[in-house]
Amino acid sequence: MAIKASLLLLVFLSSTIVSFSLYEDQVGLMDWHQRYIGKVKHAVFHTQKAGRKRVIVSTEENVVASLDLRHGEIFWRHVLGTNDAIDGVEIALGKYVITLSSQGSTLRAWNLPDGQMVWETSLHSAQISKSLLSVPINLKVDKDYPILAFGGGYLHAVSAIDGERVLQPPESSIIYVLGFLHSSEAVVYQIDSKTGEVVAEKSMVFPDGFSGAVSSVSSDKIVVLDSTRSILVTIGFLDGDISFQKTPVSDLVEDSGNAEILSPLLSNMVAVKVNRRTIFVRVGGEGKLEVVDSLSDETAMSVSLPVADDQVAFASAHHEGSKIQLMVKLVDDLETVLLRESIEMDQHRGRVDKVFINNYIKTDMSNGFRALIVMEDHSLLLLQQGAIVWSREEGLASVTDVTTAELPVEKDGVSVAKVEHTLVDWLKGHMLKLKGSLLLASPEDVAAIQEMRMKSSGRSKLTRDHNGFRKLFIALTRAGKLFALHTGDGRIVWSMLLNSPSKSEACERPSGISLYQWQVPHHHAMDENPSVLVVGRCGSDSSAPGVLSFVDVYTGKEISSSDIGHSVVRVMPLPFTDSTEQRLHLIADTEGHVHLYPKTSEALSIFQREFQNVYWYTVEGDDGIIRGHGMKSSCAGETADEYCFTTKELWTVVFPSESEKIISTLTRKPNEVVHTQAKVNTDQDLLYKYVSRNLLFVATVSPKGAGEIGSVTPEESALVVYLIDTITGRILHRLSHQGCQGPVHAVFSENWVVYHYFNLRAHKYEVTVVEIYDQSRAENKNVWKLVLGKHNLTAPISSYSRPEMFTKSQSYFFAQSVKTIAVTSTAKGITSKQLLIGTIGDQILALDKRFVDPRRTLNPSQAEKEEGIIPLTDSLPIIPQSYITHSLKVEGLRGIVTAPAKLESTTHVFAYGVDLFYTRLAPSKTYDSLADDFSYALLLITIVALVAAIYITWVISEKKELSEKWR
Amino acid sequence: MAKLTPFFFLSFLIISSSLAFQSDEFGLEGAQQQTPTTRKRYSDPDSDSKVQFSLEHAFGDSDFSPAGTFSARLKSWSHGGKTLTKLRFSRNGFSDEEKDTFKNLLKGDDFYRIRLPSNVISPPGKEFVVASVRARCLPRDGLDEHFVIHMEGANILALSYGSLGACQYPRQFKLPAKWSFNSHTILKSSEQAPRTPIFTEEILGGENAEGEVDPPPERSFWAKYWMYLIPLGLVVMNAVTQATNMAEEQTGGQTGGSQVQQSARRR
């Protein structure tokens, strides 16, 4: 009974909490969702005898998908887990898609038309090795076509029908397998396909060692490179005998450098990349090599494809100016060019990375070719008959960093609204809406209303709006491309490849690291265009020199870029801007120096003024040390660079390596706005939030517990969380959770941290909230003190003062595991906050901050209830209506970004993963504006009707009075 | 009974060590406290050893030099944990040379840095734990300093260092009246998070029972029945006015009759 009562109470309370769910017809009004697959690794065409022509692709985001070959739409797709990388994809029996994943240990079959999984087989694997998948066409075993999969040191033959291992082939046939041992020994195994036994084994040591890719030239020959990358080695393994034949690359081409073998599986031919040239080398009968052809620029090549009359063709694509040359040649006869097309290509797609070809028979019985190409920016295009049939911006599946930018202000004189709408249209629209709201609309009208809302006039305009609903999200992808996405409809406003081919030679392929708002003009620099700073690196190593690139947000053009000549460890935006609103940034390098940007004397003078008050910290995760640094002096002694400064170590926090390992660090967002420092309690008491920008949240676990959940016993693992002041290195809060384990996902805002971890004892996920309050200001409650000015509210705070603060914390169970957590942010920080929890199901749950409030008690007093304190429960509720992604999934969710709109109640939410999702949220409902579908017409008509009624009644009463008087 | 006593005492030690932190505060000139002899008698001599580790300081960017010694008692527990207790600190005073360097620090508002080894058993351990403070924050009457040493077993995690009170910004240049240190030391170990409560039926039942115990306060008669009383009052008032009107009606009726007659006449 008691439970019932409390449940009822809970139900009642949860119904009083503002519900954020949408009505069905509101889907797509404020939100958009884009589906991607990622950079394509393998592609298999399925065009024969199929009504719907399709191509099966597997990608670097671990997606296997079936795409419509006519339009490029996704028929179906499956996102495998993050550590379930796909090694190969094939079509078997004409109806199954076979994928081999997880280093060759998982083999799956998917139904080709609808993508249902048919069977899954996990293959035993001993060690990590390269894995291969092959579906032999001619190997038929007992009405069954076995699939050969190699991975983890084992070769498996698996039935395509049900995934069972095949062990009874009828006729004895020998499979030759060539393997490498310790990268210097070649082994040939002859395997009886009947029993799977090794019939013969022969090995031979090659003293120089092998390296790089293998190109199998024919059924009994392969070509590899030796470890110096200067000698091509042909290995023949005819009848189980191994023979080596060495040919130095310098014999084939002059002044050769390091060679690289391109795309394997060209029959009787190997393509080698030397000195930015691609040469085709034919392998003769006795392993003799001869150069047949060479191409100047970097060339992407496809695997060979059998065309009619026992001929084999392959495609190659390379750049010539702004065009792409696509050629299809016969392998045996390189002079015969079956197809030569040149296609105009956007410069910002970069070079061609991969080519996959497919042939079809034209109406005149000649061969036609279509080519699927993957560009350097990861985009996927289908070329046919010299034109781009469709393209997909797959770079957006691997967004690494996101920032926001404003749109240009609407110019005076040209009012877009007037051009777009005539009065009649406007009235018609409102009449329809009115009908809708009075429930008079017919189904067609409802459809019309829905359509009208979807393309509502202002939504996708390229100008700033009054409420700040229209913005640009600038996304940096792993390929190093910048995209500007419009919040209205999600379209790409502009895109820019950082390493377009026209760039300097010094840094050939910079990879983007992070994105910063460089210039956000307002007030006195309105005529400047805003710009973003992209920090990149000339290599994967952290000590590689960095590259800065400044990009104009309005136009998407690069303003300037520079090789900065030092490495980039950390980029710190400073809270200072110069007269043109350019933000000052400090970049720390590996040598402990920091560099100031922009390199102007004005910036230098601003920085010199605050020189004493600039501190920064570094986290050495592997060593478990956090160091604080202060500015020392200009590094004039070492270099002449006056924008370079040396630093000194001010504090260190050393975590004992045997008991603690850093797994997560987090700071507040630097641009977060806090509306008020004071928090009023129910008993008219005042608490002051400890609002400091210099707090660092650190979570450590026992080294044993750093592995997967459940790999340790509760006694062995402990989770310790810290709040550290980054100016002085003081530990302000330290709490250890015994028997708990990571991964820790946390969010830090205002004066609170919420973190999510796993409790091994309770076998549940937990969420803990920590709130920090300032006690040094607690005496300022007296009104008289405030009136007489005897308060310390305006005194500057120094980090060197001993902090007088206290923390409150509370823990709750949470039923789901979490991928990422974010918090809403609004323009002035008045609106209450919501936690945005990216759940394991790739959805985003909006949870009111009120649920994670340490002041919650089991039975709150009447006054507390009135204030909105929810009775304490042991777990946080998951209300299905509060999924902001409603029915959609943001596959492979990796991050959530929030940005304030100009309207205080509203915040932009952008989630990225393999998919992109955007919506606008109002955590406390839109209390400061009318709803979008507010019927102005109804209001107007009501007013008009009222005025008319007043007039009519006045006339009537006049008449009546007159007749009264005449009576 | 003889067996029970040490057990009891050990459990007492465990309880005392599981407190949030232990604090030993004493000044430089503070007399050395005698360790209670009773404790020595009952504690196993193997699991209780003395450790010493030195505090080092640096002025601005200079090298570190010894500045004092911490001595403490290291307790080893049967479960393998180690804790420091009975921390003592003896601070070396500034030499004349150091006074001059410190004055320079005060002038330049530079950093006074100190460090401790990160492991007290085998110093310096993995690394030194460094803390620093603006020199101008230290001088009061003497030189006020306040150490908070965050411990994890025998490891020192972090050191918070500064003056006892606030450090006003902008920092004023002020020489200390006395060149002696007034040191306070706090040893802190990690706080245990409370277990997440699991609300079973009993707790909820208790909550309900508590609700019954606390009946709503009795309201006054007026507060309870005002909604009935007001209409009643209105009805009564209405009746009264109507009664008075009835009395007036007699006279009113007569005038009305004469008006009818008048209008009839007009026609």
Side-chain angles (χ1 to χ4, degrees), chain A residues 9 14 72 93 112 149 198 360 512 522 554 582 602 629 698 718 795 942 957-958:
Chain A
L9 188 69
S14 51
L93 304 175
L112 189 58
V198 176
Y360 59 95
H522 61 282
Y554 289 173
Q582 292 188 37
E602 190 196 356
H629 309 269
V698 181
T942 315
S957 80
E958 284 282 287

Side-chain angles (χ1 to χ4, degrees), chain A residues 698-720:
Chain A
V698 181
T700 66
V701 286
S702 326
K704 271 189 183 172
E708 275 182 37
I709 288 168
S711 57
V712 283
T713 60
E715 287 73 32
E716 286 173 329
S717 184
L719 175 83
V720 193

Side-chain angles (χ1 to χ4, degrees), chain A residues 727-798:
Chain A
I727 305 289
T728 59
R730 283 179 209 269
I731 294 181
L732 300 179
H733 172 76
R734 180 179 173 200
L735 195 65
S736 84
H737 297 267
Q738 289 298 324
C740 292
Q741 203 183 4
V744 169
H745 298 279
V747 62
F748 195 160
S749 169
E750 293 195 355
N751 67 325
W752 50 264
V753 187
V754 171
Y755 53 96
H756 177 271
Y757 54 91
F758 189 75
N759 187 333
L760 289 163
R761 286 216 176 93
H763 306 289
K764 280 177 186 170
Y765 284 98
E766 269 184 11
V767 168
T768 296
V769 58
V770 177
E771 292 191 355
I772 321 149
Y773 291 100
D774 194 354
Q775 251 180 337
S776 64
R777 310 199 159 201
E779 276 85 60
N780 299 316
K781 286 169 195 161
N782 196 325
V783 180
W784 287 111
K785 272 190 177 172
L786 287 174
V787 172
L788 297 171
K790 285 189 176 173
H791 59 82
N792 59 356
L793 289 180
T794 51
I797 303 168
S798 169

Side-chain angles (χ1 to χ4, degrees), chain A residues 655-850:
Chain A
F655 297 106
S657 49
E658 67 271 17
S659 64
E660 291 183 39
K661 183 180 188 304
I662 300 174
I663 53 165
S664 170
T665 59
L666 180 76
T667 55
R668 269 179 64 194
K669 261 202 236 171
N671 54 356
E672 190 187 44
V673 185
V674 181
H675 173 59
T676 172
Q677 207 198 345
K679 192 171 180 180
V680 184
N681 266 347
T682 38
D683 44 352
Q684 305 303 312
D685 199 12
L686 210 60
L687 288 175
Y688 288 91
K689 297 174 188 169
Y690 187 86
V691 185
S692 167
R693 293 202 184 282
N694 307 312
L695 284 184
L696 175 70
F697 169 83
V698 181
T700 66
V701 286
S702 326
K704 271 189 183 172
E708 275 182 37
I709 288 168
S711 57
V712 283
T713 60
E715 287 73 32
E716 286 173 329
S717 184
L719 175 83
V720 193
V721 295
Y722 298 86
L723 281 171
I724 299 174
D725 185 305
T726 56
I727 305 289
T728 59
R730 283 179 209 269
I731 294 181
L732 300 179
H733 172 76
R734 180 179 173 200
L735 195 65
S736 84
H737 297 267
Q738 289 298 324
C740 292
Q741 203 183 4
V744 169
H745 298 279
V747 62
F748 195 160
S749 169
E750 293 195 355
N751 67 325
W752 50 264
V753 187
V754 171
Y755 53 96
H756 177 271
Y757 54 91
F758 189 75
N759 187 333
L760 289 163
R761 286 216 176 93
H763 306 289
K764 280 177 186 170
Y765 284 98
E766 269 184 11
V767 168
T768 296
V769 58
V770 177
E771 292 191 355
I772 321 149
Y773 291 100
D774 194 354
Q775 251 180 337
S776 64
R777 310 199 159 201
E779 276 85 60
N780 299 316
K781 286 169 195 161
N782 196 325
V783 180
W784 287 111
K785 272 190 177 172
L786 287 174
V787 172
L788 297 171
K790 285 189 176 173
H791 59 82
N792 59 356
L793 289 180
T794 51
I797 303 168
S798 169
S799 287
Y800 290 103
S801 302
R802 199 170 137 217
E804 296 171 53
M805 35 79 66
F806 67 97
T807 55
K808 286 180 162 191
S809 88
Q810 209 167 52
S811 302
Y812 320 90
F813 293 120
F814 190 70
Q816 293 211 18
S817 79
V818 161
K819 282 188 166 177
T820 177
I821 310 185
V823 66
T824 57
S825 60
T826 52
K828 300 272 187 296
I830 301 168
T831 309
S832 63
K833 305 240 171 204
Q834 274 185 336
L835 297 179
L836 302 175
I837 301 170
T839 62
I840 195 73
D842 292 325
Q843 292 210 306
I844 300 170
L845 182 76
L847 185 76
D848 251 30
K849 171 67 179 59
R850 289 194 291 150

